[in-house]
Amino acid sequence: MCDQDHFEEDLKKYSRRDIGTLAAGVGAAMMLPRAANAAEVQDRDVTITTPDGECDAYFVAPSTGKHAAVLIWPDIFGLRPAFRQMANRLAESGYSVLVVNPFYRTQKAPTAANGANTSISDVRPLAQSLNATTQTTDAKAFVAWLDAQSEVDTTKKIGTTGYCMGGPIVMRTAAAVPDRVGAGGTFHGGGLVTDNPDSPHLLIPQMKAQFLIAIAENDDQRDPEAKNVLKESFADANLAAEIEVYPAGHGWCPPDTRVHNPEQAEKAWGRMLELFERALG
């Protein structure tokens, strides 16, 4: 997971950035390729009422029309410029996109002082403040908020994506609102399969969504059986799921991380767009 004890060890193997590039984290996030035939978009910061308080979030959608919605759960470093840029890019492809601050109960965004360069020990308590119950209640509140927006086509299913610690939350979202969520994507998600009674994979029978599960190479090396459990669980539930190990390190997708792998991130992005095209129509 993103709070794993071997995080610094893995950086030595997968890091592709020098100190100068790391210092320009915001600029790096701006370098994402623009969507082909990109739609003009409008964005705004929003506040969403949940059973536990007020969540600060970012919403962006094409300037005209109604579109399928996508809910993004960020990694342990939270809502930041990189995820705003990822949301913008997805909106340019024709989706109404919400990125939330999952740690709103504790702190408004930004929640990581140095973005993706923040020490894991500094943000681990934020991740530990969440649990299966908070993730489920939040998922229901955020989906309800999306369905109330004029930019969202409620006749279409909702997609949801999660990165690192956001991966399990995607699965809880799909199980919490199964009649609305038609597609889920997890990218280097941690803890999708555990021995605990509330393991996310045990929720698969409650879902109706198609899935894309993109697994980091080093995560697979440490838990090679997890992908097999996921494949069997989705097959038993008769749900389509693309499950693949990518030759990249944990955290490779967001453009501001120290292990960002542009080539493999683009592959995962493309597979996500294909999933949404199939499942959200």
Side-chain angles (χ1 to χ4, degrees):
M1 294 179 65
C2 30
D3 60 343
Q4 57 197 334
D5 294 335
H6 52 270
F7 183 82
E8 295 298 331
E9 173 190 337
D10 287 340
L11 280 178
K12 298 175 184 178
K13 178 177 180 181
Y14 292 103
S15 179
R16 293 190 168 194
R17 300 191 172 201
D18 58 26
I19 297 301
T21 302
L22 292 176
V26 173
M30 300 291 287
M31 293 169 58
L32 284 172
R34 197 172 189 209
N37 301 316
E40 292 299 320
V41 302
Q42 292 184 337
D43 64 335
R44 62 183 186 269
D45 292 320
V46 300
T47 300
I48 302 170
T49 300
T50 79
D52 293 332
E54 303 289 321
C55 174
D56 49 310
Y58 176 72
F59 182 67
V60 57
S63 301
T64 60
K66 294 177 177 287
H67 308 273
V70 178
L71 168 60
I72 299 179
W73 299 94
D75 58 25
I76 198 169
F77 302 113
L79 173 57
R80 58 189 190 278
F83 272 87
R84 289 172 179 258
Q85 290 300 315
M86 292 163 70
N88 285 357
R89 186 185 185 194
L90 187 52
E92 289 176 349
S93 292
Y95 297 95
S96 297
V97 186
L98 177 69
V99 189
V100 297
N101 167 21
F103 309 124
Y104 69 90
R105 294 172 181 81
T106 303
Q107 181 181 343
K108 289 187 178 297
T111 53
N114 296 307
N117 300 317
T118 304
S119 171
I120 288 293
S121 61
D122 291 344
V123 290
R124 183 182 289 117
L126 292 172
Q128 293 173 337
S129 71
L130 306 179
N131 55 49
T133 298
T134 62
Q135 293 166 5
T136 299
T137 57
D138 281 351
K140 292 178 179 179
F142 298 151
V143 168
W145 184 90
L146 279 167
D147 278 346
Q149 304 312 301
S150 61
E151 299 94 336
V152 171
D153 185 347
T154 57
T155 68
K156 295 183 177 181
K157 297 291 187 177
I158 287 176
T160 181
T161 63
Y163 299 77
C164 306
M165 59 157 269
I169 311 179
V170 163
M171 299 186 75
R172 299 195 193 287
T173 302
V177 200
D179 290 329
R180 288 298 291 124
V181 177
T186 77
F187 304 90
H188 37 87
L192 304 183
V193 176
T194 74
D195 294 330
N196 299 326
D198 63 352
S199 176
H201 84 282
L202 297 177
L203 297 172
I204 292 174
Q206 302 176 34
M207 304 175 191
K208 297 181 181 179
Q210 301 180 43
F211 262 79
L212 166 66
I213 297 181
I215 303 169
E217 178 180 68
N218 50 336
D219 288 340
D220 180 64
Q221 290 169 349
R222 290 181 170 89
D223 188 6
E225 184 59 24
K227 63 180 179 296
N228 298 323
V229 173
L230 289 167
K231 290 176 181 178
E232 292 173 3
S233 298
F234 278 108
D236 288 344
N238 199 29
L239 291 175
E242 177 181 321
I243 301 170
E244 181 178 353
V245 177
Y246 283 61
H250 181 92
W252 87 84
C253 285
D256 63 339
T257 67
R258 286 175 279 179
V259 297
H260 176 60
N261 184 316
E263 179 182 357
Q264 295 304 317
E266 283 302 292
K267 175 184 175 181
W269 188 269
R271 299 305 299 159
M272 176 190 69
L273 290 180
E274 289 183 22
L275 169 65
F276 288 170
E277 185 175 353
R278 290 195 309 270
L280 301 185

